[in-house]
Amino acid sequence: MTGVGEIALDPERLLSTLQEHSVEFVVVGGFSLAAHGVVRGTKDLDIAPGQDQGNLKRLASALAALEARIDLGDIDPDELGIALSRDDLAQGGNFRLLTICGRLDVMQSIDGVRDYTELSRRSVEVSVPGVPEPVWFAGYESLITMKSAAGRDQDLIDIADLRRARGES
């Protein structure tokens, strides 16, 4: 999988593959802004998966289908052959992955989010062109909370854009 880091993001295919494997997840991060009327470029798709063991097993299967490897920066992931299993995912934490469809970040620990149940309860369902079933995206309040807690420059810009899109200025 040489050069995977250079593969353009194909969010429709990533989302479709997750759905094909019946993975329960909520889209978070830059891509989730679109569900609230804010479109900005992003180089990855961030998801928060449900934490039950069955879901993590389905996620591991989807990641295998996507040929996901941990992004190790300058180290070629093929040299190490690191694959993700349900047990790896069950340990929690966040994973920055390279796939055949671009970068996918699996977020199991997110600033401002108490747990997946709360995040999913506050999420919104949106139809995405090219994806067979509707997708769950982080809700407006959850996004504001997450981005406020992270506090990076881009997050603060995203908060302002979200509020502007809502007419809150």
Side-chain angles (χ1 to χ4, degrees):
M1 238 174 47
T2 304
V4 170
E6 299 169 13
I7 292 178
L9 180 63
D10 185 348
E12 294 85 3
R13 187 168 168 203
L14 283 169
L15 293 167
S16 295
T17 301
L18 292 167
Q19 287 181 349
E20 288 166 10
H21 287 84
S22 301
V23 177
E24 294 175 21
F25 64 94
V26 174
V27 176
V28 297
F31 196 76
S32 65
L33 299 173
H36 303 281
V38 177
V39 179
R40 76 160 165 88
T42 184
K43 295 180 181 180
D44 63 5
L45 176 68
D46 302 315
I47 65 162
Q51 296 300 296
D52 68 85
Q53 295 301 307
N55 194 57
L56 294 178
K57 184 176 181 179
R58 293 187 300 274
L59 175 57
S61 177
L63 294 176
L66 291 165
E67 299 178 29
R69 296 287 181 258
I70 295 174
D71 183 352
L72 300 170
D74 293 337
I75 299 171
D76 182 351
D78 286 334
E79 291 177 13
L80 299 179
I82 297 172
L84 291 168
S85 68
R86 177 191 53 84
D87 292 337
D88 295 328
L89 294 165
Q91 292 180 32
N94 299 331
F95 295 88
R96 182 177 174 175
L97 307 173
L98 301 175
T99 77
I100 58 174
C101 302
R103 202 170 102 206
L104 174 68
D105 291 354
V106 176
M107 310 295 290
Q108 298 181 96
S109 175
I110 304 171
D111 291 336
V113 175
R114 189 177 69 214
D115 59 32
Y116 176 79
T117 303
E118 176 187 337
L119 177 66
S120 64
R121 187 176 61 246
R122 297 175 178 227
S123 63
V124 295
E125 191 176 32
V126 177
S127 293
V128 177
V131 179
E133 297 177 32
V135 176
W136 290 98
F137 288 83
Y140 178 80
E141 292 300 328
S142 295
L143 275 175
I144 296 294
T145 301
M146 286 185 276
K147 292 190 167 292
S148 294
R152 298 171 298 224
D153 289 344
Q154 184 60 59
D155 294 309
L156 299 177
I157 292 168
D158 290 344
I159 291 170
D161 289 344
L162 284 164
R163 287 188 171 141
R164 221 177 347 270
R166 277 247 172 133
E168 295 176 7
S169 291

